[in-house]
Amino acid sequence: MIFIRLFWAFFKIGAFSFGGGYAAMPLIKQQIIVQYQWLTLNDFTDLITISQMTPGPIAINSATFVGNQIAGIPGAFFATLGCILPSCLFVTFLSWAYNRYRNLSLLQDILGSLRPAVVSMIAVAGIDILLPAIFPSGSISFSQGQWKLRPVIYFIIAIFLLRKKKDPIMVMVLCGIAELAVQLIAPGV
Amino acid sequence: MNKKKLCKIFLSTLYLSSFTFGGGYVIVTLLKKKFVDELHWIDQKEMLDLVAIAQSSPGAIAVNGAVVVGYKLAGIPGILCAVAGAVIPPFVLLTIISFFYNAFRENLLIQAMLNGMKAGVGAVIISVVYDMGSDVVKEKDPMLLILMAASFLAAYYYHVNVIFIILAAALAGTGKTILRKLRSEAKL
Protein backbone atom coordinates (compact mmCIF):
# COMPACT_ATOMS: atom_id res chain seq x y z
CA MET A 1 0.00 0.00 0.00
CA ILE A 2 1.30 3.40 -0.99
CA PHE A 3 0.80 5.09 2.41
CA ILE A 4 2.82 2.42 4.18
CA ARG A 5 5.56 2.63 1.56
CA LEU A 6 5.72 6.44 1.88
CA PHE A 7 5.78 6.16 5.67
CA TRP A 8 8.51 3.51 5.63
CA ALA A 9 10.74 5.28 3.08
CA PHE A 10 10.68 8.49 5.12
CA PHE A 11 11.01 6.60 8.40
CA LYS A 12 14.35 5.31 7.11
CA ILE A 13 15.34 8.82 6.02
CA GLY A 14 14.44 10.19 9.46
CA ALA A 15 16.24 7.40 11.29
CA PHE A 16 19.55 7.53 9.44
CA SER A 17 20.18 11.19 8.66
CA PHE A 18 22.72 12.20 11.29
CA GLY A 19 24.10 15.73 11.30
CA GLY A 20 21.09 17.79 10.27
CA GLY A 21 20.20 19.75 7.14
CA TYR A 22 22.13 18.49 4.16
CA ALA A 23 22.82 15.14 5.82
CA ALA A 24 19.32 14.00 4.85
CA MET A 25 19.95 14.73 1.16
CA PRO A 26 21.92 11.58 0.19
CA LEU A 27 19.31 9.41 1.96
CA ILE A 28 16.39 11.16 0.31
CA LYS A 29 18.07 10.63 -3.04
CA GLN A 30 18.69 6.95 -2.33
CA GLN A 31 15.11 6.27 -1.22
CA ILE A 32 13.15 8.55 -3.55
CA ILE A 33 15.10 8.25 -6.80
CA VAL A 34 16.98 4.95 -6.63
CA GLN A 35 14.74 2.69 -4.59
CA TYR A 36 11.15 3.84 -5.16
CA GLN A 37 11.61 6.06 -8.24
CA TRP A 38 9.00 8.54 -7.05
CA LEU A 39 10.89 11.54 -8.48
CA THR A 40 13.30 12.11 -11.36
CA LEU A 41 16.71 13.61 -10.64
CA ASN A 42 15.41 16.83 -12.19
CA ASP A 43 12.42 16.99 -9.80
CA PHE A 44 14.73 16.17 -6.91
CA THR A 45 17.04 19.04 -7.82
CA ASP A 46 14.05 21.40 -7.98
CA LEU A 47 12.94 20.10 -4.59
CA ILE A 48 16.34 20.86 -3.06
CA THR A 49 16.22 24.33 -4.64
CA ILE A 50 12.75 24.94 -3.20
CA SER A 51 13.88 23.64 0.19
CA GLN A 52 16.74 26.11 0.20
CA MET A 53 14.38 28.99 -0.42
CA THR A 54 11.71 28.13 2.13
CA PRO A 55 12.06 27.81 5.90
CA GLY A 56 11.83 24.29 7.26
CA PRO A 57 14.16 21.28 7.19
CA ILE A 58 15.01 19.59 3.87
CA ALA A 59 13.73 16.23 5.16
CA ILE A 60 10.29 17.57 6.19
CA ASN A 61 9.98 19.59 2.99
CA SER A 62 10.83 16.52 0.92
CA ALA A 63 8.41 14.29 2.81
CA THR A 64 5.54 16.73 2.33
CA PHE A 65 6.39 17.36 -1.32
CA VAL A 66 6.90 13.73 -2.34
CA GLY A 67 3.86 12.57 -0.36
CA ASN A 68 1.71 15.18 -2.09
CA GLN A 69 3.03 14.29 -5.54
CA ILE A 70 2.48 10.57 -5.04
CA ALA A 71 -0.72 10.36 -3.01
CA GLY A 72 -2.12 13.81 -2.22
CA ILE A 73 -2.45 15.29 1.24
CA PRO A 74 -2.91 11.93 3.04
CA GLY A 75 0.32 10.81 1.36
CA ALA A 76 2.04 13.96 2.59
CA PHE A 77 0.73 13.28 6.09
CA PHE A 78 2.09 9.72 6.26
CA ALA A 79 5.43 10.63 4.68
CA THR A 80 5.91 13.52 7.11
CA LEU A 81 4.85 11.41 10.08
CA GLY A 82 7.36 8.72 9.05
CA CYS A 83 10.04 11.38 8.77
CA ILE A 84 9.59 12.83 12.28
CA LEU A 85 8.75 9.67 14.23
CA PRO A 86 12.34 8.33 14.55
CA SER A 87 13.49 11.75 15.78
CA CYS A 88 10.73 11.89 18.36
CA LEU A 89 11.44 8.39 19.67
CA PHE A 90 15.22 8.68 19.64
CA VAL A 91 15.38 12.17 21.14
CA THR A 92 12.79 11.37 23.82
CA PHE A 93 14.79 8.30 24.81
CA LEU A 94 18.02 10.33 24.94
CA SER A 95 16.40 13.14 26.92
CA TRP A 96 15.18 10.56 29.42
CA ALA A 97 18.60 8.89 29.57
CA TYR A 98 20.24 12.30 29.96
CA ASN A 99 17.97 13.18 32.89
CA ARG A 100 19.09 9.95 34.51
CA TYR A 101 22.78 9.70 33.68
CA ARG A 102 23.86 13.18 32.50
CA ASN A 103 26.48 11.68 30.18
CA LEU A 104 26.59 11.93 26.41
CA SER A 105 30.20 10.95 25.62
CA LEU A 106 29.66 7.66 23.72
CA LEU A 107 27.02 9.30 21.55
CA GLN A 108 29.27 12.22 20.71
CA ASP A 109 32.13 9.85 19.87
CA ILE A 110 29.92 8.00 17.42
CA LEU A 111 28.74 11.28 15.95
CA GLY A 112 32.36 12.39 15.54
CA SER A 113 33.10 9.41 13.32
CA LEU A 114 29.86 9.82 11.37
CA ARG A 115 30.78 13.37 10.38
CA PRO A 116 33.45 12.50 7.76
CA ALA A 117 31.12 9.93 6.17
CA VAL A 118 28.28 12.47 6.09
CA VAL A 119 30.52 15.11 4.49
CA SER A 120 31.49 12.69 1.72
CA MET A 121 27.90 11.68 1.04
CA ILE A 122 26.76 15.29 0.86
CA ALA A 123 29.62 15.91 -1.58
CA VAL A 124 28.39 13.05 -3.78
CA ALA A 125 24.83 14.41 -3.71
CA GLY A 126 26.13 17.86 -4.67
CA ILE A 127 28.17 16.45 -7.55
CA ASP A 128 25.10 14.55 -8.77
CA ILE A 129 23.14 17.81 -8.92
CA LEU A 130 25.93 19.83 -10.53
CA LEU A 131 27.13 17.44 -13.25
CA PRO A 132 23.77 16.99 -15.05
CA ALA A 133 23.45 20.79 -15.16
CA ILE A 134 26.76 21.01 -17.02
CA PHE A 135 26.56 17.76 -19.02
CA PRO A 136 22.88 17.37 -20.03
CA SER A 137 23.54 14.18 -21.99
CA GLY A 138 24.77 12.42 -18.86
CA SER A 139 28.27 11.54 -19.98
CA ILE A 140 31.23 13.63 -18.90
CA SER A 141 32.84 14.83 -22.10
CA PHE A 142 34.14 18.19 -23.26
CA SER A 143 33.61 17.61 -26.96
CA GLN A 144 31.37 19.98 -28.94
CA GLY A 145 27.74 20.05 -27.82
CA GLN A 146 28.30 17.67 -24.92
CA TRP A 147 28.65 20.33 -22.24
CA LYS A 148 27.26 23.78 -21.43
CA LEU A 149 29.39 26.81 -20.60
CA ARG A 150 26.78 28.92 -18.77
CA PRO A 151 26.25 26.60 -15.76
CA VAL A 152 30.03 26.54 -15.32
CA ILE A 153 30.11 30.35 -15.25
CA TYR A 154 27.19 30.50 -12.78
CA PHE A 155 28.89 27.92 -10.60
CA ILE A 156 32.20 29.80 -10.49
CA ILE A 157 30.50 33.13 -9.73
CA ALA A 158 28.28 31.48 -7.10
CA ILE A 159 31.26 29.86 -5.35
CA PHE A 160 33.05 33.22 -5.37
CA LEU A 161 30.03 35.02 -3.82
CA LEU A 162 29.47 32.27 -1.24
CA ARG A 163 33.10 32.43 -0.11
CA LYS A 164 32.52 36.18 0.35
CA LYS A 165 29.80 35.16 2.83
CA LYS A 166 26.90 36.30 0.64
CA ASP A 167 23.46 34.92 1.48
CA PRO A 168 22.99 31.50 -0.26
CA ILE A 169 19.37 32.26 -1.20
CA MET A 170 20.43 35.47 -2.89
CA VAL A 171 23.25 33.66 -4.74
CA MET A 172 20.86 30.97 -6.05
CA VAL A 173 18.23 33.48 -7.13
CA LEU A 174 20.95 35.44 -8.92
CA CYS A 175 21.91 32.32 -10.93
CA GLY A 176 18.24 31.80 -11.78
CA ILE A 177 17.77 35.41 -12.89
CA ALA A 178 20.92 35.24 -15.03
CA GLU A 179 19.62 32.20 -16.93
CA LEU A 180 16.16 33.79 -17.18
CA ALA A 181 17.69 36.91 -18.73
CA VAL A 182 19.66 34.82 -21.24
CA GLN A 183 16.51 32.91 -22.25
CA LEU A 184 14.51 36.14 -22.62
CA ILE A 185 17.15 37.72 -24.85
CA ALA A 186 17.97 34.62 -26.89
CA PRO A 187 15.32 31.89 -26.39
CA GLY A 188 16.46 28.28 -26.75
CA VAL A 189 20.20 28.93 -26.49
CA MET B 1 -1.50 27.20 33.78
CA ASN B 2 -0.30 24.00 32.12
CA LYS B 3 -2.58 24.59 29.16
CA LYS B 4 -1.21 28.10 28.84
CA LYS B 5 2.34 26.76 28.90
CA LEU B 6 1.61 24.16 26.19
CA CYS B 7 0.03 26.87 24.07
CA LYS B 8 3.11 29.04 24.50
CA ILE B 9 5.39 26.14 23.51
CA PHE B 10 3.31 25.46 20.40
CA LEU B 11 3.23 29.11 19.33
CA SER B 12 6.97 29.55 19.94
CA THR B 13 8.03 26.63 17.73
CA LEU B 14 5.37 27.55 15.16
CA TYR B 15 6.75 31.06 14.92
CA LEU B 16 10.39 29.97 14.79
CA SER B 17 9.67 27.34 12.16
CA SER B 18 7.77 29.78 9.94
CA PHE B 19 10.39 32.46 9.79
CA THR B 20 13.76 30.78 10.20
CA PHE B 21 15.77 30.39 7.06
CA GLY B 22 19.16 28.78 7.22
CA GLY B 23 18.54 25.35 8.65
CA GLY B 24 18.65 23.53 11.96
CA TYR B 25 21.64 25.19 13.55
CA VAL B 26 20.00 28.60 13.30
CA ILE B 27 16.74 27.37 14.78
CA VAL B 28 18.52 25.77 17.74
CA THR B 29 20.17 29.13 18.53
CA LEU B 30 16.77 30.82 18.37
CA LEU B 31 15.19 28.17 20.62
CA LYS B 32 17.89 28.99 23.16
CA LYS B 33 17.17 32.72 22.86
CA LYS B 34 13.48 32.14 23.33
CA PHE B 35 13.43 29.64 26.20
CA VAL B 36 16.63 30.58 28.05
CA ASP B 37 17.10 34.33 27.58
CA GLU B 38 13.52 35.46 27.10
CA LEU B 39 11.23 33.11 29.05
CA HIS B 40 13.86 31.79 31.55
CA TRP B 41 12.23 28.35 31.47
CA ILE B 42 15.51 26.44 30.97
CA ASP B 43 18.94 27.32 32.36
CA GLN B 44 21.88 28.02 30.09
CA LYS B 45 23.99 24.99 30.99
CA GLU B 46 21.18 22.48 30.61
CA MET B 47 20.23 24.04 27.27
CA LEU B 48 23.75 23.33 25.97
CA ASP B 49 23.27 19.64 26.73
CA LEU B 50 19.80 19.65 25.19
CA VAL B 51 21.24 21.20 22.03
CA ALA B 52 23.93 18.50 22.00
CA ILE B 53 21.19 15.86 22.16
CA ALA B 54 19.26 17.54 19.32
CA GLN B 55 22.36 17.74 17.15
CA SER B 56 23.62 14.22 17.75
CA SER B 57 20.28 12.51 17.10
CA PRO B 58 19.15 11.48 13.63
CA GLY B 59 16.58 13.57 11.79
CA ALA B 60 15.96 17.26 11.26
CA ILE B 61 17.65 19.35 13.95
CA ALA B 62 14.68 21.75 14.11
CA VAL B 63 12.38 18.85 15.00
CA ASN B 64 14.89 17.37 17.45
CA GLY B 65 15.26 20.77 19.10
CA ALA B 66 11.48 20.99 19.48
CA VAL B 67 11.42 17.50 21.06
CA VAL B 68 14.11 18.22 23.69
CA VAL B 69 12.58 21.56 24.67
CA GLY B 70 9.02 20.17 24.71
CA TYR B 71 10.08 17.16 26.81
CA LYS B 72 12.03 19.30 29.27
CA LEU B 73 9.17 21.77 29.78
CA ALA B 74 6.07 19.59 29.76
CA GLY B 75 6.84 15.92 29.12
CA ILE B 76 5.05 14.03 26.35
CA PRO B 77 2.26 16.65 25.83
CA GLY B 78 5.07 19.22 25.52
CA ILE B 79 6.73 17.14 22.77
CA LEU B 80 3.47 16.87 20.83
CA CYS B 81 2.82 20.64 20.97
CA ALA B 82 6.42 21.58 20.14
CA VAL B 83 6.72 19.15 17.22
CA ALA B 84 3.32 20.13 15.79
CA GLY B 85 4.43 23.77 15.88
CA ALA B 86 7.71 22.95 14.13
CA VAL B 87 6.17 20.77 11.41
CA ILE B 88 2.98 22.63 10.46
CA PRO B 89 4.64 25.58 8.62
CA PRO B 90 6.79 23.52 6.21
CA PHE B 91 3.92 21.04 5.75
CA VAL B 92 1.46 23.74 4.69
CA LEU B 93 3.96 25.62 2.56
CA LEU B 94 5.26 22.58 0.66
CA THR B 95 1.72 21.27 0.13
CA ILE B 96 0.87 24.56 -1.60
CA ILE B 97 4.09 24.50 -3.64
CA SER B 98 3.56 20.87 -4.62
CA PHE B 99 0.05 21.72 -5.78
CA PHE B 100 1.37 24.36 -8.19
CA TYR B 101 4.65 22.64 -9.07
CA ASN B 102 3.50 20.70 -12.14
CA ALA B 103 1.84 23.75 -13.67
CA PHE B 104 4.89 25.86 -12.83
CA ARG B 105 7.29 23.37 -14.36
CA GLU B 106 5.55 23.69 -17.76
CA ASN B 107 6.22 27.42 -17.81
CA LEU B 108 9.33 28.10 -19.90
CA LEU B 109 10.41 31.14 -17.90
CA ILE B 110 10.20 29.27 -14.59
CA GLN B 111 12.04 26.39 -16.23
CA ALA B 112 14.86 28.74 -17.22
CA MET B 113 14.97 30.17 -13.70
CA LEU B 114 15.07 26.71 -12.05
CA ASN B 115 17.68 25.48 -14.52
CA GLY B 116 19.92 28.46 -13.79
CA MET B 117 19.50 27.87 -10.08
CA LYS B 118 20.81 24.30 -10.38
CA ALA B 119 24.37 25.58 -10.74
CA GLY B 120 23.74 27.85 -7.74
CA VAL B 121 22.41 24.99 -5.58
CA GLY B 122 25.41 22.87 -6.60
CA ALA B 123 27.68 25.73 -5.52
CA VAL B 124 25.88 26.10 -2.16
CA ILE B 125 26.26 22.38 -1.45
CA ILE B 126 29.92 22.23 -2.53
CA SER B 127 30.62 25.27 -0.35
CA VAL B 128 28.98 23.59 2.67
CA VAL B 129 31.01 20.44 1.98
CA TYR B 130 34.19 22.51 1.89
CA ASP B 131 33.43 24.07 5.30
CA MET B 132 32.43 20.77 6.91
CA GLY B 133 35.35 18.93 5.29
CA SER B 134 37.86 21.52 6.57
CA ASP B 135 36.53 21.02 10.11
CA VAL B 136 37.15 17.28 9.78
CA VAL B 137 40.68 17.81 8.37
CA LYS B 138 41.49 20.23 11.23
CA GLU B 139 41.02 17.44 13.76
CA LYS B 140 44.22 15.83 12.37
CA ASP B 141 42.93 12.32 13.02
CA PRO B 142 44.02 9.90 10.26
CA MET B 143 41.10 7.59 10.97
CA LEU B 144 38.60 10.35 10.17
CA LEU B 145 40.40 11.13 6.89
CA ILE B 146 40.36 7.48 5.89
CA LEU B 147 36.65 7.30 6.75
CA MET B 148 35.99 10.39 4.63
CA ALA B 149 37.87 9.01 1.61
CA ALA B 150 36.39 5.53 1.97
CA SER B 151 32.81 6.79 2.19
CA PHE B 152 33.32 9.00 -0.84
CA LEU B 153 34.61 6.07 -2.89
CA ALA B 154 31.81 3.82 -1.64
CA ALA B 155 29.08 6.38 -2.42
CA TYR B 156 30.43 7.80 -5.70
CA TYR B 157 32.08 4.88 -7.48
CA TYR B 158 30.44 1.84 -5.95
CA HIS B 159 26.96 3.33 -5.26
CA VAL B 160 26.81 1.65 -1.87
CA ASN B 161 23.51 2.26 -0.07
CA VAL B 162 23.87 5.34 2.16
CA ILE B 163 22.41 3.50 5.14
CA PHE B 164 25.23 0.91 5.07
CA ILE B 165 27.85 3.66 4.91
CA ILE B 166 26.32 5.33 7.98
CA LEU B 167 26.15 2.05 9.89
CA ALA B 168 29.79 1.26 9.01
CA ALA B 169 30.94 4.71 10.17
CA ALA B 170 28.96 4.40 13.41
CA LEU B 171 30.54 1.01 14.02
CA ALA B 172 34.03 2.46 13.44
CA GLY B 173 33.23 5.22 15.98
CA THR B 174 32.04 2.71 18.58
CA GLY B 175 35.17 0.61 18.03
CA LYS B 176 37.36 3.66 18.53
CA THR B 177 35.62 4.57 21.80
CA ILE B 178 35.96 1.02 23.14
CA LEU B 179 39.65 0.91 22.18
CA ARG B 180 40.31 4.20 23.94
CA LYS B 181 38.49 3.07 27.08
CA LEU B 182 40.49 -0.18 27.12
CA ARG B 183 43.75 1.71 26.69
CA SER B 184 43.04 4.20 29.48
CA GLU B 185 42.06 1.34 31.77
CA ALA B 186 45.28 -0.51 30.93
CA LYS B 187 47.26 2.55 31.95
CA LEU B 188 45.62 2.79 35.37
Side-chain angles (χ1 to χ4, degrees), chain A residues 12 14-20 22 25-27 30-31 42-43 45-50 52-57 60-61 64-65 68-69 73 76-77 80 84 87-88 90-92 94-96 98-99 102 104-124 126-131 133 140 151 154-155 158-159 162-163 168-169 172-173 175-177 179-180 183-184, chain B residues 17-21 24-25 45-46 49-50 52-64 67-68 71 76 79 83 86-87 90-99 101-102 105 109-110 112-133 136 139 143-145 147-149 151-152 155-156 159-163 165-167 169-170 172-174 177 180-181:
Chain A
K12 283 184 276 181
F16 287 99
S17 53
F18 284 88
Y22 296 93
M25 208 169 56
L27 277 151
Q30 154 81 28
Q31 291 292 311
N42 204 18
D43 291 335
T45 307
D46 287 346
L47 172 59
I48 299 295
T49 311
I50 293 167
Q52 299 280 350
M53 304 191 56
T54 54
I60 307 288
N61 289 349
T64 307
F65 184 86
N68 263 305
Q69 293 281 319
I73 291 182
F77 175 80
T80 307
I84 59 174
S87 294
C88 293
F90 200 89
V91 176
T92 307
L94 274 186
S95 305
W96 171 82
Y98 167 75
N99 270 331
R102 307 253 153 189
L104 297 168
S105 72
L106 173 68
L107 191 76
Q108 287 184 326
D109 271 339
I110 294 176
L111 196 74
S113 68
L114 278 175
R115 201 164 297 132
V118 170
V119 173
S120 288
M121 291 186 301
I122 297 172
V124 172
I127 292 169
D128 285 347
I129 284 179
L130 193 62
L131 288 184
I140 297 172
Y154 301 151
F155 176 76
I159 287 282
L162 289 167
R163 296 328 290 177
I169 297 177
M172 288 186 315
V173 171
C175 292
I177 290 174
E179 179 65 19
L180 185 66
Q183 291 297 331
L184 282 175
Chain B
S17 179
S18 309
F19 297 105
T20 313
F21 290 85
Y25 293 99
K45 203 185 154 292
E46 185 161 16
D49 285 333
L50 294 183
I53 292 174
Q55 290 180 341
S56 34
S57 301
I61 291 180
V63 176
N64 296 351
V67 175
V68 283
Y71 181 80
I76 305 283
I79 294 177
V83 170
V87 170
F91 188 88
V92 171
L93 192 60
L94 264 289
T95 298
I96 297 169
I97 289 174
S98 167
F99 190 73
Y101 174 72
N102 296 319
R105 240 305 168 188
L109 296 180
I110 293 193
M113 182 104 186
L114 282 170
N115 285 341
M117 283 164 88
K118 271 182 198 163
V121 176
V124 170
I125 296 169
I126 299 296
S127 178
V128 166
V129 166
Y130 178 80
D131 290 336
M132 290 175 77
V136 172
E139 292 195 25
M143 185 192 131
L144 297 184
L145 295 179
L147 263 177
M148 192 150 76
S151 6
F152 185 84
Y156 193 71
H159 306 286
V160 175
N161 188 326
V162 179
I163 291 175
I165 299 177
I166 289 169
L167 287 175
T174 319
T177 308
R180 200 178 51 213
K181 283 239 167 81

Side-chain angles (χ1 to χ4, degrees), chain A residues 130-136 141-142 146-160 175 179, chain B residues 115-116 118-120 122-123:
Chain A
L130 193 62
L131 288 184
I134 299 171
F135 306 98
S141 141
F142 285 99
Q146 293 291 301
W147 67 290
K148 286 184 176 168
L149 177 62
R150 263 176 287 130
V152 178
I153 298 173
Y154 301 151
F155 176 76
I156 292 169
I157 294 174
I159 287 282
F160 177 77
C175 292
E179 179 65 19
Chain B
N115 285 341
K118 271 182 198 163

